[in-house]
Amino acid sequence: MAREKQIQTAGESAIVPRHIAIILDGNGRWAKKRGLPRTAGHAVGAETFRKIALYCRDIGVDYLTVYAFSTENWNRPEEEVRTIMRLLNKYLHEAIDTMERDRMKMRVFGDVEGLPAELQALVAKTNEISRRYEGFQANICLNYGGRAEIVRAAERYAEDRLAGTAPEKLTEEQFSQYLWSSGIPEPDLLIRPGGEQRLSNFLLWQCAYAEFYFTDTLWPDFTPAELDRAIEEFRRRDRRYGKV
Ligand code: FPP
């Protein structure tokens, strides 16, 4: 179950969510408002991700998980999909050069085998670097769907059962080890910018007890100050986990 951690900030003690999840939404509208192509919104959105990830690291968050590309996003115009893949390529290349300096680990959740070959190689490389040290971790959901993740986990469990390596009775904890997020604590706070108030097939299993924060701010305009507001709101919530 999700737990927040108590850290010291500027001499006073404050609760910081251990794991924050964000649905990156509003890039297209941000660009349209400025008379720019949607792809320009994705480019600025990728920069915003970099800024927010470093800010999360600096304030003591341990994990940031973002929804960057869903299994449904392949249905977008070809040029837009190509641009998003190009941006991810660029981002992962740069991350490989700076991960150690930035003390940032990375993991991809999703069906990596369905990604272009070059991107798959970059994902493998970032995984390899991440194994070398401890620190803040960014998880990028690519070619990801929450239901697909659960179905795949069930299939993998069934395989292990047939092989005789998995128990007959399964706990939630054991099942969660078959998910792409295996070994990572559940998100404490889920943020959705862009004005919509839904989960869109994101981390369905993992967000069972997450606090939700919605804002009309479009993702490219999202700032550390807005993240602070979300965390402030999170601190005011009363997390009961089904108890009184
Ligand atoms: C949602 O906005 C955004 C996406 C589907 C793509 C997000 C991808 C990036 C920011 C590129 C690279 C990412 C990383 C993590 C380096 P939308 O297009 O649905 O916006 P709209 O709702 O305004 O149309």
Side-chain angles (χ1 to χ4, degrees):
M1 190 160 287
R3 276 188 295 117
E4 310 87 23
K5 52 183 205 170
Q6 198 87 26
I7 65 154
Q8 297 295 122
T9 11
E12 62 192 40
S13 134
I15 300 279
V16 171
R18 176 149 65 145
H19 184 172
I20 297 180
I22 308 182
I23 298 176
L24 309 183
D25 195 16
N27 294 346
R29 277 165 288 161
W30 182 92
K32 194 165 172 228
K33 264 176 43 186
R34 288 163 178 77
L36 298 168
R38 293 174 55 81
T39 48
H42 296 317
V44 178
E47 277 313 307
T48 304
F49 165 71
R50 191 197 311 273
K51 268 186 239 151
I52 295 297
L54 292 174
Y55 185 66
C56 282
R57 179 203 65 186
D58 291 345
I59 62 173
V61 171
D62 289 338
Y63 300 93
L64 170 69
T65 302
V66 295
Y67 203 3
F69 198 83
S70 74
T71 43
E72 290 76 36
N73 287 152
W74 294 109
N75 299 322
R76 292 188 174 211
E78 223 180 289
E79 169 56 19
E80 183 171 343
V81 171
R82 243 200 322 272
T83 301
I84 294 175
M85 292 299 148
R86 222 176 12 242
L87 282 168
L88 288 163
N89 250 293
K90 178 168 171 271
Y91 181 81
L92 290 180
H93 263 297
E94 288 165 4
I96 285 167
D97 291 341
T98 57
M99 276 164 82
E100 310 227 16
R101 186 200 67 200
D102 290 343
R103 290 178 289 114
M104 196 189 289
K105 291 193 290 182
M106 247 164 59
R107 190 152 128 191
V108 167
F109 297 170
D111 182 7
V112 174
E113 284 166 21
L115 294 172
E118 198 188 339
L119 210 47
Q120 287 189 41
L122 291 170
V123 168
K125 179 90 184 144
T126 53
N127 283 341
E128 197 254 332
I129 298 174
S130 298
R131 270 195 289 274
R132 280 191 231 142
Y133 62 103
E134 294 299 313
F136 168 78
Q137 179 166 325
N139 306 305
I140 303 184
C141 295
L142 290 183
N143 200 15
Y144 175 90
R147 288 182 180 172
E149 178 180 35
I150 294 168
V151 169
R152 174 184 168 275
E155 284 170 353
R156 291 183 55 212
Y157 167 68
E159 281 165 21
D160 283 359
R161 275 290 295 143
L162 282 173
T165 55
E168 187 181 346
K169 276 295 233 184
L170 195 58
T171 64
E172 292 179 5
E173 180 64 32
Q174 285 163 335
F175 184 74
S176 70
Q177 298 311 309
Y178 288 96
L179 300 170
W180 282 309
S181 59
S182 132
I184 295 172
E186 293 168 16
D188 305 292
L189 171 63
L190 173 108
I191 300 174
R192 180 162 192 159
E196 311 289 356
Q197 303 199 351
R198 55 176 171 261
L199 208 42
S200 300
N201 204 15
F202 184 47
L203 303 179
L204 295 181
W205 174 280
Q206 298 88 337
C207 282
Y209 289 100
E211 294 293 334
F212 289 10
Y213 177 87
F214 298 107
T215 167
D216 288 337
T217 303
L218 303 173
W219 174 248
D221 288 330
F222 199 90
T223 57
E226 175 106 41
L227 188 76
D228 285 341
R229 279 196 289 281
I231 294 174
E232 271 306 312
E233 164 83 31
F234 169 81
R235 288 184 183 131
R236 286 193 292 270
R237 305 270 175 94
D238 176 19
R239 305 185 80 195
R240 290 191 296 277
Y241 300 107
K243 300 184 208 116
V244 288

